[in-house]
Amino acid sequence: MPVRASFLRRTLLNRTAILGAAVVILFAAGILLGSYTVTIPDFFRILTAHFTGGEKIPGASFIVMESKLPRAVIGTMIGLAFGLSGGLFQTMLRNPLASPDVIGISYGASAAAVTAIVVFGASGAAVSGAALGGALGVAAVIYGISRSGTLRAGAGAGTGSAAGNRLILAGVGIASALGALVNFLLTRTDIRTAADALVWLNGSLNAASWDRAGVLAAALLILVPAVAVLAGPLRIIELGDDTAAGLGIRVHRTRLGVVLTAVALAAVATAAAGPVAFVAFLAGPIARRFAGKASLPASALVGALIVLAADYFAANIAPLLLDGTVLPVGVVTGALGAPFLLWLLVTANRKDA
């Protein structure tokens, strides 16, 4: 048995390393390739000149340091954040449908951001701040609704599952109401404001900047260690609430910590780039199938892979297919997520049968 456990651990580490290498390759491709290509020696010359004040390469230095590199950095970080957020929700609630997209967190951010754009004429950091506040506010409401019944019932083996179902149902209901609010606001504003709001709603890396990257990096420096602290107790809770409580885990406190951390990860990622659809939803199940078991690091890396691949397609391949049209990254991830959701539902029905 120990030999088998050691083999599974090595397999998980090897496959996670493969995912990490794939993220590095896609990160490099996003910077070096595309509509404007940069050689590897030129990239390091540009990087060195930027930090030492040396001679810049006309045109190339600006494109790399002000467009390509911040776009790739933010794409990687929001992918990691969404992947971790989805992995935490899906592991805690033991449900592959549990993700910020499905349970209403992204809709809370969207409704708040669209309200800020349409009603108050906000832009830039103000929209990001509104999105962050909206996501956290909706998460508090959803958690309060789910906690009001089942989570108070004790620490029985079925408590977590029932609480998860309540949370998902509450999230779906609130998401529906917020979606209607967003549609109402868009129909009541002028076409230019509606267009700005729609770009944000689709999720886009076009506004990537070093300022946004710095804020997002600071948030992840706090949230990723929090995930590491919660990962151990969360694995024990997977054995059942009774077992976890018997082993000294404070089940309700751990669940609250997981919810707060997962919501904060989704909220800061949404604030940085908009609600990039289905990344959090896709990352966990894909990572589980690739790594052979649920893994938060693998979920984070798959999230980064999805965003980087989708952004490369949206910025470089889609214009060739669509007569120059550059798609927001969220349009591509949304197109991937819809058939995957249907496939997940079909396979779940087969297992139940």
Side-chain angles (χ1 to χ4, degrees):
M1 196 69 175
V3 174
R4 177 173 172 77
S6 176
F7 173 76
L8 292 175
R9 193 178 301 111
R10 285 199 305 271
T11 301
L12 177 61
L13 289 174
N14 290 338
R15 293 183 178 181
T16 303
I18 291 171
L19 290 173
V23 169
V24 172
I25 291 169
L26 273 177
F27 183 90
I31 298 170
L32 302 176
L33 305 178
S35 56
Y36 188 94
T37 58
V38 180
T39 64
I40 294 176
D42 280 349
F43 171 73
F44 284 107
R45 279 179 56 199
I46 290 167
L47 209 58
T48 303
H50 180 80
F51 288 110
T52 62
E55 184 180 355
K56 296 181 179 179
I57 301 175
S61 294
F62 178 83
I63 291 171
V64 170
M65 296 307 303
E66 300 302 324
S67 177
K68 285 197 164 197
L69 190 56
R71 188 183 187 105
V73 167
I74 289 181
T76 302
M77 288 195 292
I78 68 167
L80 293 171
F82 278 128
L84 278 176
S85 179
L88 285 171
F89 274 122
Q90 289 161 354
T91 302
M92 182 188 73
L93 300 178
R94 303 167 201 165
N95 191 324
L97 294 179
S99 79
D101 309 283
V102 177
I103 66 174
I105 308 301
S106 297
Y107 281 94
S110 298
V114 172
T115 300
I117 293 170
V118 172
V119 178
F120 300 103
S123 61
V127 176
S128 298
L132 182 61
L136 296 174
V138 168
V141 172
I142 294 170
Y143 186 78
I145 292 172
S146 65
R147 182 179 172 81
S148 63
T150 318
L151 288 178
R152 290 179 180 170
T159 298
S161 177
N165 291 336
R166 285 176 63 88
L167 192 146
I168 292 171
L169 289 173
V172 169
I174 291 175
S176 239
L178 293 174
L181 173 63
V182 168
N183 289 334
F184 171 77
L185 290 172
L186 291 178
T187 61
R188 303 297 296 176
T189 189
D190 64 89
I191 190 68
R192 297 183 80 181
T193 304
D196 292 340
L198 281 172
V199 169
W200 193 91
L201 284 171
N202 283 318
S204 174
L205 296 176
N206 291 339
S209 66
W210 288 116
D211 289 339
R212 292 193 182 196
V215 172
L216 186 54
L220 292 182
L221 284 175
I222 297 170
L223 294 171
V224 171
V227 173
V229 170
L230 291 165
L234 185 58
R235 279 196 296 270
I236 297 174
I237 288 176
E238 287 187 82
L239 301 174
D241 290 358
D242 282 338
T243 302
L247 292 172
I249 301 297
R250 296 182 177 181
V251 176
H252 297 320
R253 184 173 295 183
T254 301
R255 287 187 188 281
L256 179 59
V258 170
V259 169
L260 290 175
T261 305
V263 167
L265 283 165
V268 297
T270 303
V276 183
F278 286 126
V279 176
F281 170 70
L282 291 167
I286 293 174
R288 190 179 302 112
R289 282 161 176 77
F290 182 79
K293 62 177 290 187
S295 167
L296 292 176
S299 295
L301 292 171
V302 170
L305 274 174
I306 292 170
V307 173
L308 289 173
D311 185 57
Y312 187 86
F313 179 89
N316 300 296
I317 299 176
L320 301 177
L321 303 175
L322 302 174
D323 196 25
T325 301
V326 178
L327 297 175
V329 65
V331 171
V332 180
T333 59
L336 291 172
F340 187 84
L341 174 59
L342 294 175
W343 176 80
L344 197 63
L345 291 171
V346 169
T347 54
N349 288 338
R350 286 177 182 171
K351 287 180 182 177
D352 292 340

